Amino acid sequence: MAFNRREFVKLTGAAAGLATLGLPLVASAKGSASIVVIGGGYGGATAAKYCRQYMPDAKITLIEKDKYYYSCPFSNEVLGGDKTIEEIRFGYDGIAARGIDVVIDEVTGVDPAAKSVSTKGGQKVSYDYLVVSPGVSFKGNIEGYEGEQMNKMPHAWKAGEQTTLLRNQLEAMADGGVVMIVAPPNPFRCPPGPYERAAQIAHYLKHHKPASKVIIMDAKDKFSKQGLFMEGYNKHYEGMIEWRSAANDGKVNAVKGNKLITEFEEHEPAVANIIPAQQAGALAGAIGLTNESGWCPVDQRTFESSIIKDVYVIGDACIAGAMPKSGYAANSQGKVAAAAIAAKVGGYEMPDPSYVNTCYSLITPEHGISVAGVYRLEDGKIAGVKGAGGLSPAGASDATRQVEAMYARSWYANITADLFG
Amino acid sequence: MRQKLSSILAAGLLGGAMLGGTINASADPAGAMVGNPCAGCHGIDGASQGQAPVIAGLNTMYLDMTMKAYRDGQRYATIMDRIAKGYTDEQIAAMSKFFGDKSWPANTQSVDADAAAKGQKLHMSTGCVGCHGQTGVAMMPNVPRLAGQYAGFLNQQMLDYKDAGKAIPPTAMVMRSMLSGLSDEDIAALAAFYASQK
């Protein structure tokens, strides 16, 4: 986000001033709710679509800073070489065709008092309900990881240009090189992501640079689907993937030049992929939607912010009880938030919320594993339904892993159609 | 049309104080709440565009009994058993109606014509036609539509039904004996035939 706190306050201050003078910035038409969604990823694109479905007469605006969206799910397969960057790129024509105003512009301020959003391009859009789906931003947990260093050691944790940078480095690397993936501390976007990435990079190396190695440097002592990943690594990439836990000096504290620095050692891998610690997207902090944790507290029934009324926060940025920070979770949350807003607009009781998550990971193109969860509200918190969900079985047959890989690709086709189709 | 009419009626009953005019979800907010999250894997309104099965327009009763079979450990799956365990009878009834009320989509998939021709012969000679109809569109509510379903799913489903080590609903036990004499190649041919049908 290219605005700082001071500019933001200035902007919203000015907006509030205008509003008190009785000059509404954009009058919302009588009898028709105006809903603005900020962020066109898995959460925001879903929220906009389902608001449209539930409220055919509402004015719905989606504001997104980039013309194209690059999907984080399946971006690891771009690193592995089974997908191209174009195959994970989506435009907003499908969303516009649903009768949603798509504004490609950067949000510079939100004025919760005047209920308006201002953009870099000079637009001001008023809202009755605002949905914010800002994704994640990075925390400075790794000293020296800023500016040009972020291109030198790509994070590739926001897909697009960064994915291409990392892929190019892998392609340029000589056989026998070491690739280090620095995995972040909890909580972070896509808990199985760094470990699927290790497999996908190893998949590429195995076929093109078989003397090379992948080392995961972890800030944690355990990780998502660990047993299933380890089983897959041993089966397909024996001796190629090494995992260093935090207890085994895996925690990288600083980067300098080509070096990764831990408490006891310095490493100089051929390719370094740094995934820093995370918090809610910068916009959420600037609007004032975050608490001391850096994430956004919400009413977990509706996703309305606990801090600002009529503002809903969904996706990775929000605190959603037992749900992980995943694309599917954001998609599911966007639907619940849309239903909650529709109920408010329509003046009826919202049905009990129901939320789902499924995360597939591909260890090879024919070896898929999954974790699933079904969630409901318990005592005001999103809780996993007991006995439901969980992991693919350990030690399953090749045929089973193959079926899961088939459904992983099917998932990607279906969820991206749900978002952008 | 029915959905639109009922939403207008519901809106009318709820009074005119709404900001947003027509509220579609008020026709069946509970069904939409439990049904819409399924789109991630099963496609918009259940009209899958991948190898996960189409569930749009399947018989409501079939959907209901199938979800319960997955939930209660009576039907093997790679993932659906884990997910089905998350739902109550009421939720399963609501989502079954939600998808049962949708229309079967006009998806097309590329199918090996020779395999499909072989599959059609097997379909007639093995006796599948008895329950599943001439083209894989069943007349009985507890028998699923196969015509136009994805070949990848159908193939896997038949292999799972044939496998004595995997759970099968009591109502589908006949499938195990029907499939017992068929090779993997036969099963793939049958899947291609059903997938090729409209």
Side-chain angles (χ1 to χ4, degrees):
Chain A
M1 280 297 148
F3 66 94
N4 60 39
R5 179 105 197 164
R6 199 172 44 143
E7 278 167 0
F8 171 80
V9 170
K10 208 166 64 187
L11 272 165
T12 52
L18 282 174
T20 46
L21 284 169
L23 298 169
L25 302 166
V26 176
S28 60
K30 269 208 173 111
S32 159
S34 179
I35 294 150
V36 174
V37 180
I38 303 176
Y42 275 71
T46 306
K49 174 190 167 175
Y50 283 85
C51 279
R52 168 52 71 234
Q53 189 180 107
Y54 294 155
M55 295 168 277
D57 298 338
K59 176 176 162 52
I60 299 166
T61 309
L62 174 70
I63 308 177
E64 160 58 46
K65 69 176 169 16
D66 295 318
K67 196 175 165 198
Y68 294 107
Y69 180 75
Y70 291 88
S71 171
C72 279
F74 276 77
S75 66
N76 282 335
E77 284 63 28
V78 174
L79 299 176
D82 290 330
K83 276 206 181 290
T84 63
I85 193 80
E86 288 76 25
E87 287 175 296
I88 62 162
R89 187 181 72 184
F90 298 90
Y92 292 94
D93 292 351
I95 290 181
R98 291 171 183 157
I100 293 163
D101 293 336
V102 176
V103 175
I104 304 297
D105 201 346
E106 194 166 310
V107 170
T108 48
V110 171
D111 182 347
K115 297 183 110 174
S116 91
V117 178
S118 33
T119 70
K120 201 174 181 180
Q123 299 205 44
K124 287 189 189 295
V125 189
S126 66
Y127 65 82
D128 296 305
Y129 301 100
L130 176 66
V131 181
V132 184
S133 189
V136 295
S137 61
F138 298 132
K139 281 167 131 168
N141 66 316
I142 295 173
E143 198 190 319
Y145 192 66
E146 57 198 5
E148 186 46 34
Q149 196 71 29
M150 296 174 84
N151 292 331
K152 203 169 167 181
M153 298 180 166
H155 53 78
W157 215 238
K158 294 177 183 180
E161 201 182 323
Q162 277 274 321
T163 312
T164 304
L165 278 176
L166 184 53
R167 172 70 192 173
N168 290 347
Q169 291 188 7
L170 293 168
E171 284 178 7
M173 188 181 87
D175 191 10
V178 169
V179 179
M180 280 194 168
I181 299 172
V182 174
N186 293 322
F188 63 99
R189 159 181 284 178
C190 191
Y195 312 96
E196 183 197 52
R197 174 169 291 181
Q200 284 295 321
I201 291 176
H203 169 65
Y204 166 70
L205 297 175
K206 184 178 173 179
H207 292 97
H208 297 93
K209 291 154 193 178
S212 311
K213 220 178 147 176
V214 180
I215 301 176
I216 306 164
M217 301 292 288
D218 213 324
K220 305 179 292 301
D221 286 326
K222 56 180 184 174
F223 60 87
S224 169
K225 304 186 207 171
Q226 187 166 348
L228 292 169
F229 275 115
M230 288 304 190
E231 182 187 315
Y233 294 169
N234 289 335
K235 187 176 172 71
H236 302 286
Y237 310 113
E238 207 190 341
M240 277 190 86
I241 302 180
E242 183 188 330
W243 175 64
R244 287 251 195 125
S245 65
N248 194 18
D249 199 34
K251 188 166 167 272
V252 172
N253 297 317
V255 293
K256 197 174 182 185
N258 297 322
K259 291 196 174 94
L260 306 186
I261 303 157
T262 65
E263 190 179 356
F264 299 109
E265 280 184 294
E266 288 189 357
H267 304 275
E268 208 168 327
V271 174
N273 165 219
I274 310 284
I275 309 167
Q278 293 154 41
Q279 59 192 355
L283 181 68
I287 299 173
L289 291 165
T290 51
N291 66 14
E292 67 289 347
S293 72
W295 304 99
C296 304
V298 295
D299 175 348
Q300 295 182 16
R301 180 183 178 81
T302 60
F303 294 95
E304 185 175 7
S305 165
S306 313
I307 300 171
I308 305 177
K309 194 175 176 292
D310 296 332
V311 178
Y312 294 70
V313 188
I314 55 171
D316 296 340
C318 75
I319 300 168
M323 293 186 90
K325 298 188 183 302
S326 76
Y328 202 135
N331 172 263
S332 190
Q333 292 162 8
K335 291 169 186 180
V336 172
I341 293 169
K344 219 168 181 182
V345 170
Y348 62 89
E349 183 81 12
M350 175 192 170
D352 287 339
S354 176
Y355 331 70
V356 181
N357 178 60
T358 297
C359 292
Y360 282 104
S361 304
L362 289 175
I363 288 172
T364 76
E366 302 302 327
H367 184 134
I369 54 174
S370 62
V371 61
V374 181
Y375 305 87
R376 65 180 171 213
L377 203 68
E378 278 174 22
D379 302 326
K381 289 225 162 87
I382 298 172
V385 178
K386 283 182 191 67
L391 299 163
S392 307
S397 67
D398 291 356
T400 299
R401 301 297 190 218
Q402 201 169 0
V403 174
E404 289 231 273
M406 174 176 86
Y407 288 142
R409 284 186 285 272
S410 175
W411 172 86
Y412 181 71
N414 279 318
I415 201 161
T416 54
D418 193 27
L419 296 168
F420 301 109
Chain B
M1 196 59 214
R2 192 165 56 88
Q3 194 182 359
K4 207 164 193 178
L5 183 64
S6 56
S7 71
I8 292 164
L9 286 172
L13 288 169
L14 288 159
M18 318 171 309
L19 272 166
T22 328
I23 305 296
N24 254 352
S26 62
D28 180 19
M33 179 60 81
V34 290
N36 276 331
C38 310
C41 291
H42 285 286
I44 300 165
D45 291 339
S48 178
Q49 299 183 28
Q51 293 295 325
V54 171
I55 53 174
L58 285 180
N59 186 280
T60 299
M61 178 186 150
Y62 176 75
L63 287 165
D64 194 277
M65 61 189 255
T66 301
M67 277 296 283
K68 286 176 180 161
Y70 280 133
R71 183 188 66 184
D72 301 337
Q74 293 183 338
R75 181 164 172 176
Y76 170 82
T78 52
I79 195 166
M80 206 55 221
D81 51 344
R82 288 181 263 157
I83 291 172
K85 285 186 178 71
Y87 296 101
T88 62
D89 283 357
E90 292 71 27
Q91 287 176 312
I92 287 175
M95 67 174 66
S96 298
K97 183 170 177 347
F98 178 82
F99 291 111
D101 285 350
K102 309 290 180 200
S103 305
W104 187 270
N107 289 347
T108 50
Q109 49 188 314
S110 59
V111 170
D112 182 314
D114 292 343
K118 182 186 168 191
Q120 184 166 24
K121 285 192 193 118
L122 283 166
H123 172 71
M124 303 308 287
S125 65
T126 315
C128 312
V129 61
C131 291
H132 287 285
Q134 290 285 330
T135 62
V137 181
M139 291 299 129
M140 290 174 280
N142 59 338
V143 177
R145 175 182 175 134
L146 307 178
Q149 186 58 278
Y150 286 103
F153 166 73
L154 289 171
N155 185 64
Q156 191 51 43
Q157 199 51 60
M158 285 186 272
L159 292 173
D160 289 344
Y161 272 162
K162 191 185 161 190
D163 184 342
K166 288 175 177 163
I168 185 168
T171 49
M173 270 313 284
V174 62
M175 285 296 297
R176 184 155 290 168
S177 50
M178 294 291 289
L179 291 163
S180 62
L182 300 180
S183 67
D184 287 3
E185 202 187 317
D186 292 340
I187 285 173
L190 278 170
F193 166 61
Y194 299 128
S196 72
Q197 297 301 296
K198 297 256 183 307

